[in-house]
Amino acid sequence: MSKINVALLGYGTVGKGVYSTIESHQNRLQRLLGKEVKVVAILVRNLEKHVAPDDQVLLTANFEDILSLSDLHIVIDAIVGREPGFTYLKKAIDKGCHIVTANKEMFAFHGTELQTLALEKGVGLGYEATVAGGIPIIQTIRQLLQVNHFQKIEAILNGTSNFILTNMRKLGSTFAETLQLAKENGYAESDPTNDIEGYDALYKGMVMSQLIYGELPCIDSVKRKGITHIQPQHMKVAEEAGLRFKHVVALSKSNDEIQCKVEPVLVTDSHPFYQVEGVQNSVSITTDLLGTLQLQGPGAGMFPTASAVLEDIIQLENKPKASPAAKNSVTDQDTLLQWVIFCEYPEIEKSGQEISVIEKLDDTTWIIEGEVIPSGLSHSSSTNIFPLKGRYERKKLPLQV
Amino acid sequence: MSKINVALLGYGTVGKGVYSTIESHQNRLQRLLGKEVKVVAILVRNLEKHVAPDDQVLLTANFEDILSLSDLHIVIDAIVGREPGFTYLKKAIDKGCHIVTANKEMFAFHGTELQTLALEKGVGLGYEATVAGGIPIIQTIRQLLQVNHFQKIEAILNGTSNFILTNMRKLGSTFAETLQLAKENGYAESDPTNDIEGYDALYKGMVMSQLIYGELPCIDSVKRKGITHIQPQHMKVAEEAGLRFKHVVALSKSNDEIQCKVEPVLVTDSHPFYQVEGVQNSVSITTDLLGTLQLQGPGAGMFPTASAVLEDIIQLENKPKASPAAKNSVTDQDTLLQWVIFCEYPEIEKSGQEISVIEKLDDTTWIIEGEVIPSGLSHSSSTNIFPLKGRYERKKLPLQV
């Protein structure tokens, strides 16, 4: 039986998961592809920290060893960071290899260029694992919703921040205490900045922007706000009002400008994100024909990520195509009617909309009505709730954005 | 520009939605397919009740007129019932046309045969619209989860019954009153039997069984129970316990036997179906690698259904394939830990498991612990709740299944 030879860049959690799943699912891969799938080489940074999983696998710290392999068909990128991943993948494409990547930061910044290169070379490029772990959101958009026009994407794409928000509410603990809990459970890295400040979620939003709109959002229209400022008293007020904090990526296009926002928002119990808890991810897609489709599942982990990589291999081998989809979305108003917004008073001052108070919940929290677009949050909603510092008066606020 | 000529069988809600969407999305279809998509003929039952949407469309009540068209590429089945749909589609396949069907009852019973015929003739067969409206569940299973082994499918697949259950709870109304409300809102047909007795949901479960396991469930392992026996007092007890009724299709395979059950169950607020409300559909798939993936969206309607049909056309034209997937699922124990079960006392008598009472909620309702598989329900769970008629004693019940 002929073989599909694979090189694996990186042998951490993702790399090991991919290797062991190729082994455990070999019969199934052979049945689907008609060929054996064989990992022939693994690239690691430090040879002394790793052992090759079997004698026939080349373990190397030198990428040139990978490039010099004859009959190499697929390179799987399971390392992190923009470099050296980008350089490696450019060289692998140039060699004529299909590419499958799980490297979201690299792909957020260099995805379009890699897709162009892959198209020129006639090789396939899979990146399902860069967004939402095993949830097949990339291929759903690429393949299954080709006729539909995209109007809006909203998503919870970072398991760490959702774990922290979930457990701050459940345990009544502070942000710092809950972050520590996340670290102890293996859900946060020693430097958690990427997750808790929304960079990781933004990278995933950038990948989806290139897929749906064919380009990155304009840097001026990107808003990124972390969850580190959320305090137990915010949680308490939200819970009393029947609301939950979620760290949401929102992607849309209006007036030819792609907008990408990452920020904590409050949702009511009728919102589909209300019970997306712990390390779960969820993606809500609104299109012209289908309406709103929500996909939910594990956003990370060894085997969900391996699932995304292996399913990409099947797609590549069955029909390589690397063109950016550029789904040519319908633009429309940002109307998140069930959404509720949290912000602090100084931010409202900058918003400049006329709003009216419906109900005062406590000294710092009011339900208001009106088109409110606080700076740094900018969802509009017919009914919004947020804690205010000090007394709120109904008035036309000066626009200072 | 060359054309893709389409015949439409049926010109009701689904047929009209497909026709108008092909018109409205013509530019997009041409960009995706490189060809114009043109509806050249529409089959109706009664010519006097319909008008052709434009002069160039043949409106006919005679299927032979469709068959005698030269250069016909795709036949879209938007009629209901096993016949004449099955006969028409067999003839269309024999003529060499690709097939796209929205006819769930016909496809539930004749899907395997049609797929075999399509494979023999080398034509494509799309049936996304037969299950869960616009939610791309069929293509997700067929294409995007090929490496994954399926362990379990649970789904809410009938919008009418979910609308009734949702509104019985919200309004405190009887089944009959709420059914009337569903009719007034266009969510129930004049004869609602198929929806409220679970036949419609069972048909969709049968379609998924053929897709995932390559065959229908054994008739003896099919359980179908409607929602007509649920009364306001059941709703009240459930709500007080923080539970909601959902009419769920469960599909799994153990010991080489495919099991398909359609029945009302109670779910806790941590279960993903808890907030699937109104006419929404939701499908939860559990696989070995990915874990549990949930898809949720509109399960019916003119444009969601048209979305499924048009996306199928794209898939057909890009790569016709008609083989049953036969995903060779992993079998495992039925362990729905978060699930809670409703049944009446006579059914428990047949179950034959040792269970213990944790808490008495009221005279007819208890929380119990143990592996309980009541006849006609048969989910197991570590904690179950159901209304009992009469006093419940802890004892080994005789197995009479």
Side-chain angles (χ1 to χ4, degrees), chain A residues 25 28 134 143-149 269 271 275 288 290 293-296 298 307 311 315 327, chain B residues 25 28 134 143-149 269 271 275 288 290 293-296 298 307 311 315 327:
Chain A
H25 286 61
R28 196 173 187 88
Q143 289 195 59
L144 307 190
L145 300 175
Q146 296 191 56
V147 181
N148 278 271
H149 292 253
D269 66 357
H271 192 284
Q275 61 180 19
D288 61 340
L290 170 49
L293 173 69
Q294 189 187 1
L295 286 84
Q296 187 168 329
S307 168
E311 297 290 355
Q315 300 298 322
K327 312 287 287 191
Chain B
H25 286 60
R28 196 173 188 89
Q143 290 195 57
L144 306 189
L145 300 175
Q146 297 191 55
V147 181
N148 278 270
H149 292 253
D269 66 358
H271 191 283
Q275 62 180 21
D288 60 341
L290 169 49
L293 172 70
Q294 189 187 0
L295 286 84
Q296 187 169 329
S307 168
E311 297 290 355
Q315 300 297 323
K327 314 285 290 189

Side-chain angles (χ1 to χ4, degrees), chain B residues 257-332:
Chain B
E257 187 176 81
I258 302 164
Q259 301 201 314
C260 186
K261 298 169 227 156
V262 180
E263 60 197 342
V265 300
L266 283 164
V267 298
T268 65
D269 66 358
S270 64
H271 191 283
F273 288 168
Y274 186 79
Q275 62 180 21
V276 178
E277 296 274 66
V279 294
Q280 285 271 298
N281 277 198
S282 187
V283 186
S284 172
I285 305 167
T286 303
T287 73
D288 60 341
L289 292 174
L290 169 49
T292 297
L293 172 70
Q294 189 187 0
L295 286 84
Q296 187 169 329
M302 180 183 267
F303 294 112
T305 307
S307 168
V309 170
L310 267 68
E311 297 290 355
D312 265 353
I313 290 176
I314 302 297
Q315 300 297 323
L316 288 179
E317 288 293 318
N318 284 340
K319 49 168 178 12
K321 63 169 185 178
S323 60
K327 314 285 290 189
N328 188 23
S329 71
V330 167
T331 62
D332 70 346

Side-chain angles (χ1 to χ4, degrees), chain A residues 243-262:
Chain A
L243 303 167
R244 288 182 182 169
F245 282 94
K246 298 293 162 192
H247 201 190
V248 169
V249 184
L251 185 66
S252 61
K253 190 173 186 177
S254 63
N255 302 324
D256 269 344
E257 187 175 81
I258 302 164
Q259 301 202 311
C260 186
K261 298 169 226 156
V262 180

